[in-house]
Amino acid sequence: MAFIEIKNLFKRFKNTVAVNHVQLEVIKGEMLTLLGPSGCGKTTTLRCIAGLERPEEGDIVIDGKPMLSEGFVQPSKRGIGMVFQNYAVWPHMKVFNNIIYGLKIQKISKKIIQERAQQVLELVGLSGLQDRYPSQLSGGQQQRVALARALVGNPKVLLLDEPLSNLDAKLREKMRFEIKSLVRRMGITSVYVTHDQAEAMVISDRIAVMDSGNIVQIGTAEEIYQKPANKFVADFIGTMNFIPGEISKVLDDKTLVYVRTEFSEKMTCTMPKAQSARSGDNVFASIRPEDIEVFAEPPEKKENVFKGTIINKAYLGNFLFLFMDVKGTMVRVQIPHYIPQEEGQDLYLFINPQKCMTLL
């Protein structure tokens, strides 16, 4: 059941469309991530949910209550907790006062404030640090203060706007799991904004990929990685080889096609179900580096086998990236690091038709 419904949301800044008639539902208790590059509209969408931006069109429904169509509902009345990118903690206040500031404004009793503060301090792992100032905390601890402040009011919805972008890589990785675990334990409906694909894939129940104010695909991390809706999604999530070509024939079952490329008259590829293409259409034969099989000698496989030469290689710990020249086209291949390869060496590449997609 949808707990947050975004209906035909449209937001413009002067001549720039930031959010272009977005339709989206967030299920009760799930963590949905808005993922995309800078300027794609993800933060503007989040700020519209929070009430910090007013859209020109559309509505936002939270727990069955419209936030716009029946009169603008102020941010403080929406039952939302928000964590900002820059933490937004007050440097002159101790941890305890930072966390309870919103409750004091609501004139809640001191006893309840004390109880709630103690609960969230334990929840986010800050017990014993309530009397410190932000300057006495690490970046991760400051982010926990911001998280505790967002949770102390028992919000219906938690919004997080790139909350880990200011942390170093190892701490960011640790905090991803902490936030994911915390949100799941609380069962709180959450919307998370990031441009970091790895972060989105780790933390999310579902991901909505945005581009130029539009949602171009919604799905689990696995669905988006393995079955991207278009070239933009495939390029943004992970690494992909894009081999330009033209469909020369659509086979009878309409799931396989022949693609004419610079190095092949007939590369067999899978055509996604949502995509309709005809002979003569320009497409990209797209395959991930880890899905290409490598052979030192010509394999028994009869289709989609191409000879290439190693131009460069990159050692990345547990695997090697090989940059192969296949008749003038550069193809990136990922193989285990323990298979020795040398620059200038010729290899045979098998591009599995079931893993090679035609993308527009």
Side-chain angles (χ1 to χ4, degrees), residues 127-193:
S127 295
L129 302 180
Q130 58 266 29
D131 292 326
R132 292 192 184 182
Y133 287 98
S135 61
Q136 298 172 305
L137 303 176
S138 68
Q141 289 169 332
Q142 289 185 52
Q143 190 56 279
R144 287 188 179 92
V145 173
L147 189 58
R149 186 178 57 200
L151 294 172
V152 75
N154 293 328
K156 295 179 181 179
V157 173
L158 180 63
L159 306 178
L160 304 105
D161 185 11
E162 305 222 32
L164 307 182
S165 61
N166 291 327
L167 304 180
D168 64 66
K170 286 190 175 181
L171 184 55
R172 190 161 62 238
E173 184 177 42
K174 179 182 178 183
M175 287 296 293
R176 287 172 191 164
F177 290 106
E178 289 190 10
I179 291 175
K180 182 177 182 178
S181 175
L182 177 63
V183 168
R184 284 189 172 174
R185 291 203 310 271
M186 296 184 69
I188 190 168
T189 306
S190 307
V191 182
Y192 192 103
V193 161

Side-chain angles (χ1 to χ4, degrees), residues 42-304:
K42 56 189 184 297
T43 292
T44 301
T45 302
L46 192 81
R47 288 174 65 84
C48 287
I49 298 171
L52 302 176
E53 299 285 355
R54 295 197 187 200
E56 283 80 9
E57 298 177 34
D59 200 6
I60 295 167
V61 179
I62 299 176
D63 194 16
K65 182 179 179 180
M67 299 290 108
L68 300 166
S69 60
E70 296 178 5
F72 182 79
V73 178
Q74 294 295 328
S76 60
K77 304 295 183 182
R78 296 191 178 198
I80 282 171
M82 188 158 183
V83 181
F84 296 92
Q85 181 177 352
N86 62 354
Y87 313 150
V89 295
W90 288 282
H92 64 287
M93 290 185 184
K94 293 181 179 180
V95 167
F96 182 83
N97 288 326
N98 260 289
I99 291 172
I100 68 166
Y101 183 77
L103 298 182
K104 290 177 69 176
I105 292 175
Q106 297 175 41
K107 298 182 179 179
I108 294 174
S109 72
K110 289 184 178 180
K111 181 180 178 182
I112 293 177
I113 287 176
Q114 187 71 37
E115 289 175 353
R116 287 192 188 176
Q118 194 57 45
Q119 287 173 355
V120 295
L121 282 165
E122 292 176 6
L123 200 60
V124 302
L126 289 175
S127 295
L129 302 180
Q130 58 266 29
D131 292 326
R132 292 192 184 182
Y133 287 98
S135 61
Q136 298 172 305
L137 303 176
S138 68
Q141 289 169 332
Q142 289 185 52
Q143 190 56 279
R144 287 188 179 92
V145 173
L147 189 58
R149 186 178 57 200
L151 294 172
V152 75
N154 293 328
K156 295 179 181 179
V157 173
L158 180 63
L159 306 178
L160 304 105
D161 185 11
E162 305 222 32
L164 307 182
S165 61
N166 291 327
L167 304 180
D168 64 66
K170 286 190 175 181
L171 184 55
R172 190 161 62 238
E173 184 177 42
K174 179 182 178 183
M175 287 296 293
R176 287 172 191 164
F177 290 106
E178 289 190 10
I179 291 175
K180 182 177 182 178
S181 175
L182 177 63
V183 168
R184 284 189 172 174
R185 291 203 310 271
M186 296 184 69
I188 190 168
T189 306
S190 307
V191 182
Y192 192 103
V193 161
T194 184
H195 65 275
D196 186 320
Q197 54 166 293
E199 194 168 294
M201 294 177 80
V202 167
I203 208 166
S204 314
D205 294 308
R206 288 188 303 149
I207 300 169
V209 183
M210 296 190 70
D211 178 31
S212 302
N214 300 286
I215 291 178
V216 291
Q217 187 172 3
I218 303 174
T220 64
E222 185 176 0
E223 289 168 346
I224 288 173
Y225 187 84
Q226 295 185 354
K227 297 179 180 179
N230 57 26
K231 182 176 181 287
F232 172 83
V233 176
D235 197 24
F236 197 79
I237 302 288
T239 303
M240 182 75 83
N241 289 296
F242 296 107
I243 304 166
E246 175 187 289
I247 293 179
S248 57
K249 183 178 180 180
V250 178
L251 302 188
D252 292 340
D253 64 1
K254 299 190 184 304
T255 62
L256 293 176
V257 298
Y258 291 150
V259 179
R260 184 184 297 111
T261 71
E262 290 184 355
F263 60 80
S264 172
E265 283 295 313
K266 193 177 75 172
M267 182 188 294
T268 308
C269 296
T270 300
M271 186 165 63
K273 291 181 180 179
Q275 179 181 312
S276 59
R278 299 171 297 178
S279 294
D281 286 354
N282 291 322
V283 295
F284 291 92
S286 310
I287 187 163
R288 299 207 179 269
E290 65 269 25
D291 290 332
I292 299 175
E293 296 180 47
V294 176
F295 300 88
E297 302 293 335
E300 294 182 0
K301 304 173 192 296
K302 295 183 178 180
E303 64 175 354
N304 284 16

